[in-house]
Each structure stands twice: as C-alpha cells, then as structure tokens.
Amino acid sequence: MWLHRRQTLFALSALVAGAACGFTPAYGPEGGASVLQDNLRVAAPERRDGFLIAQRLEDRFGRNDGGRYVLTVTPTIQRQGLATSVEGTTNRFQLTGRADFALRDKDSDTVVRQGRVTDFAGFSATGSTVATLAAERDAAARLMVILADQIVDRLVISAGGLPA
C-alpha cells in the first residue's frame, strides 16, 4: 500500500512540475503539432514500402486530401547479409532503410520542413524459402513503421511556427 501512495505522490508532483515549466502538449490547443493533425495528405511511391509508410503516417496524423500540407516521403531499403554459416550460406540479414521527406505548404507552394531518417531491422533465413520471404516482408513492414514514427517525431518537434 505504501508503494501505491508513493507512486501517486510522485505522479502528482511530476504533473505539477510539468505545469509549472510551461509544458504544452504537442497536440493540445496551444501545441505546435495541432496544425498537422488531420490537415495533411501523404504522398509516397506506389510500392509496398511506400504504402506501408504512408499508412503509418496517416494513422498518426490522420488523412485529409484537402488539407493545407502535403507530406512527400521517399523510402528506400537495402538488404545486406550479416551472418554466414560454415557452409557459406547467409542466415541473418539486415534491412537498412532511409526515408527522405518534405512537408510542403500547398497555399504558398514552399517546403516548410524536410529531412531524412534512417534505421534498420533484421531477419533470419534459417527456415524454408517461404519462411525467409515472410520474415523479410515482416522486417520491411517493421522498418517502415520505425521510419514513419521517426518522421512524425521530427515533424512534431519542429511544428512550432507552422502556419495554421
């Protein structure tokens, strides 16, 4: 019981400290990222990786084809072998992904934010060919989620000052 009270006291003190420092939630009424929520359209290549990254970005920001902003994303994936067996077969792979992005204001037709994010995901090739292909597709899907989340983080952090 003592631990529960201590956790509650800690949570309340953190809340008070956050309010005292001028903390504003990113998606709150005064937050900078609220101008992006349900106010952008994602443009990505018509490939599986483009679809997956666009899907995750739309899950996080919402989708509005008539919104003020257009987020253009170009993902690329490179595959490389990491571990080989004594027989010389590769049994562990790494997918390295990169996504270049640009947030364009449709009203002024200018790029207001842009950048590049990178990360990686791995998969094993120890099963059958079908299992290896499924593992690679799963790793690529995880990689697109990771890259999309990094883009969201970058845009949310830098959203202050964007025109509403």
Side-chain angles (χ1 to χ4, degrees), residues 21-146:
C21 75
F23 172 78
T24 304
Y27 294 111
E30 301 294 322
S34 61
V35 299
L36 296 175
Q37 192 67 31
D38 295 320
N39 198 21
L40 64 82
R41 178 178 61 86
V42 178
E46 293 184 9
R47 306 183 309 250
R48 183 174 187 271
D49 59 348
F51 170 77
L52 291 170
I53 200 165
Q55 181 182 32
R56 179 64 174 184
L57 288 166
E58 289 173 354
D59 286 347
R60 299 284 307 270
F61 282 127
R63 180 179 178 163
N64 184 353
D65 289 338
R68 178 167 184 165
Y69 297 101
V70 176
L71 178 60
T72 305
V73 182
T74 308
T76 57
I77 297 176
Q78 292 181 333
R79 175 181 161 168
Q80 65 189 69
L82 290 180
T84 55
S85 67
V86 239
E87 294 87 25
T89 59
T90 305
N91 53 18
R92 183 85 183 151
F93 291 92
Q94 176 176 298
L95 298 180
T96 304
R98 180 182 80 209
D100 296 312
F101 65 93
L103 183 68
R104 181 175 297 279
D105 184 351
K106 288 190 335 189
D107 291 347
S108 63
D109 197 36
T110 59
V111 174
V112 292
R113 301 289 186 271
Q114 64 183 4
R116 172 182 288 172
V117 294
T118 59
D119 218 311
F120 66 92
F123 67 96
S124 292
T126 56
S128 66
T129 304
V130 173
T132 300
L133 290 174
E136 183 175 9
R137 286 176 59 94
D138 180 62
R142 287 190 323 252
L143 183 57
M144 290 302 107
V145 168
I146 292 168

